[in-house]
Amino acid sequence: MLHIINKSPFISLALKDCLRFAGNTDAILLIEDGVYAALETYMSKHLIPLNLNQLTIYALNEDIYARGLIDRISSKINIIDYPGFVDLTLTNNPIQTWS
Amino acid sequence: MENLPKSMLFVLRQGPHQTPQAREAFDILLMASSFANKISLLFLSDGLFQLIKQQDTTLLAIQNFTSAYKALTLYDINNVYVAKDDLLARGLTEADLILATTLLDDIEISALIAQHDIILNY
């Protein structure tokens, strides 16, 4: 299953709500303001302590660059581009967008 | 002109690219600088992401208006404030920001807001 988050974790509960229900082997894709969750500080404070080892977290390259985050994101994040985004939507079913 | 407002504070709380709101606020504050005596900017919450360095919107094919913040002094806007706690919460420091700002704690922000005549929230 793929979860898509497009809201900043600092002003929205979308990611937190998603994490309540995400399964161990699910994938989470951060897009638009959702990529702020990929910040090293946010990841180490709020996500890594949850021990979500099996969960794969992706973030969209285009949105990371637009927001100036390329040198500031966690090493746990898998960066993908738009074709990678399409691949994720093809290989995961169902897809839930937590907007 | 006697009726000019003494001071105007823009409170900026939105990230830069998700919605047009941050861009609109920027256009309005440049316009306001031509008639207001004193303009101050206060970046709170995700608003301070507007000031982060290295923003490159080429891949999104949209204009990166945030680089124009570096030209604020040309418009006589020299008072730029950032919420210290919000910066820390995002793991950022002053070195991550594209212009010189003054960091304020919440008590200082209360005082800053109280001393302005007009407050605009974006």
Side-chain angles (χ1 to χ4, degrees), chain A residues 21-35:
Chain A
F21 308 110
N24 272 339
T25 54
D26 288 357
I28 294 179
L29 170 61
L30 307 172
I31 64 168
E32 300 170 25
D33 275 2
V35 299

Side-chain angles (χ1 to χ4, degrees), chain B residues 4-76:
Chain B
L4 283 179
K6 284 196 184 75
S7 60
M8 196 179 263
L9 177 69
F10 284 81
V11 181
L12 304 160
R13 297 167 48 243
Q14 307 288 327
H17 305 303
Q18 183 97 328
T19 70
Q21 210 168 348
R23 170 62 198 261
E24 285 167 12
F26 182 74
D27 291 343
I28 290 165
L29 72 89
L30 290 190
M31 194 168 61
S33 71
S34 63
F35 63 83
N37 279 352
K38 185 188 164 200
I39 290 183
S40 304
L41 310 184
L42 170 62
F43 289 89
L44 295 183
S45 184
D46 275 9
L48 56 87
F49 283 137
Q50 294 182 41
L51 299 181
I52 205 165
K53 283 178 182 168
Q54 291 176 296
Q55 295 184 60
D56 180 356
T57 55
T58 316
L59 292 170
L60 291 186
I62 56 171
Q63 195 189 357
N64 177 25
F65 77 96
T66 63
S67 58
Y69 270 117
K70 286 182 277 193
L72 280 184
T73 52
L74 297 176
Y75 295 86
D76 278 334

Side-chain angles (χ1 to χ4, degrees), chain B residues 86-100:
Chain B
D86 293 349
L87 194 66
L88 286 175
R90 287 157 182 78
L92 303 172
T93 68
E94 287 175 278
D96 292 305
L97 307 180
I98 55 173
L99 76 172

Side-chain angles (χ1 to χ4, degrees), chain A residues 35-71:
Chain A
V35 299
Y36 289 125
L39 278 166
E40 169 60 37
T41 312
Y42 189 85
M43 287 286 293
S44 56
K45 208 181 279 181
H46 300 281
L47 280 169
I48 292 166
L50 298 177
N51 282 320
L52 306 165
N53 294 326
Q54 309 261 323
L55 203 72
T56 316
I57 305 181
Y58 300 89
L60 192 62
N61 184 55
E62 284 80 350
D63 288 325
I64 290 170
Y65 270 91
R67 288 160 182 76
L69 304 185
I70 191 62
D71 294 333

